[in-house]
Amino acid sequence: MTDTRKPLSRRVVDTLTRIELGFAGVMLLVILVLVFTQAAQRYTPFEGIAWTGEISRFGLAWMTFSVAGVLITLRGHIALEVVDTLPAPRLIRTVQVLSLLIVAVIAIGLTMEAWGLVQTQGALRSPVLGMSMALVYLPVLSGMVSTVIRSLVAAWMIAKHGPIMPTVDQTPAIVKDPS
């Protein structure tokens, strides 16, 4: 009997990916509900709820940065796919590794900035809710840490095992007119 379970590292990555995507999904739903609430408030005689706009803006930043690392794992990030079509696997491997290392360096810079904001912005409060601005930057920090780790691991895996090639031909099929 063969063991069909995934290795522990793959299960950890899958779990973290699900958590990050779940958080992003919740943020998208929150943004949707709050924007609809803001639109509905314009047509009611009642005073509007001021915090809906603030949470919507924070939610957009949280959603964007929290799933940045997931894009690396799912190959949903910007990639040089033109290079993937070349018949030179060594060149493709080099370009993929270098591009992931560049992403990691940029994400390290963004991580350092987010960490600096978490440390220094605690005294500031958001205008409507009075929420500590350090809390606003925590999802950004976690997303950038995830991006650094995922891009370094992906670069290592490509350097060790070879380039990731596209699985499906992305070119549109030419359909002939039957008439």
Side-chain angles (χ1 to χ4, degrees):
M1 182 189 249
T2 60
D3 188 12
T4 59
R5 292 183 300 170
K6 293 180 184 176
L8 179 62
S9 60
R10 187 73 238 167
R11 289 184 299 205
V12 169
V13 169
D14 288 348
T15 301
L16 291 175
T17 299
R18 284 188 183 103
I19 290 169
E20 291 173 357
L21 287 175
F23 178 76
V26 168
M27 286 298 102
L28 185 62
L29 184 61
V30 165
I31 293 168
L32 179 71
V33 168
L34 293 179
V35 167
F36 282 151
T37 302
Q38 287 177 320
Q41 289 173 3
R42 294 182 182 158
Y43 301 104
T44 61
F46 309 110
E47 185 176 326
I49 305 170
W51 57 265
T52 56
E54 187 171 272
I55 293 294
S56 294
R57 285 189 300 277
F58 291 157
L60 181 61
W62 293 338
M63 179 183 67
T64 302
F65 285 101
S66 68
V67 295
V70 174
L71 295 176
I72 300 294
T73 302
L74 301 179
R75 282 190 56 85
H77 64 293
I78 297 172
L80 302 171
E81 292 181 3
V82 169
V83 177
D84 294 348
T85 62
L86 296 175
R90 186 173 289 178
L91 175 65
I92 296 170
R93 177 187 293 196
T94 303
V95 169
Q96 287 182 357
V97 168
L98 285 176
S99 66
L100 286 165
L101 291 176
I102 291 169
V103 169
V105 167
I106 292 169
I108 287 169
L110 291 171
T111 300
M112 291 171 34
E113 284 300 314
W115 177 246
L117 289 170
V118 167
Q119 289 181 319
T120 60
Q121 302 301 309
L124 296 177
R125 302 282 176 212
S126 65
V128 179
L129 289 174
M131 180 173 50
S132 171
M133 291 304 287
L135 293 175
V136 172
Y137 296 112
L138 283 176
V140 175
L141 176 63
S142 69
M144 288 299 99
V145 168
S146 173
T147 303
V148 169
I149 293 169
R150 288 173 187 256
S151 59
L152 289 175
V153 168
W156 168 254
M157 296 302 288
I158 290 171
K160 184 177 177 184
H161 299 293
I164 299 172
M165 303 305 289
T167 56
V168 181
D169 186 17
Q170 302 280 330
T171 57
I174 298 174
V175 179
K176 294 185 179 182
D177 189 13
S179 56

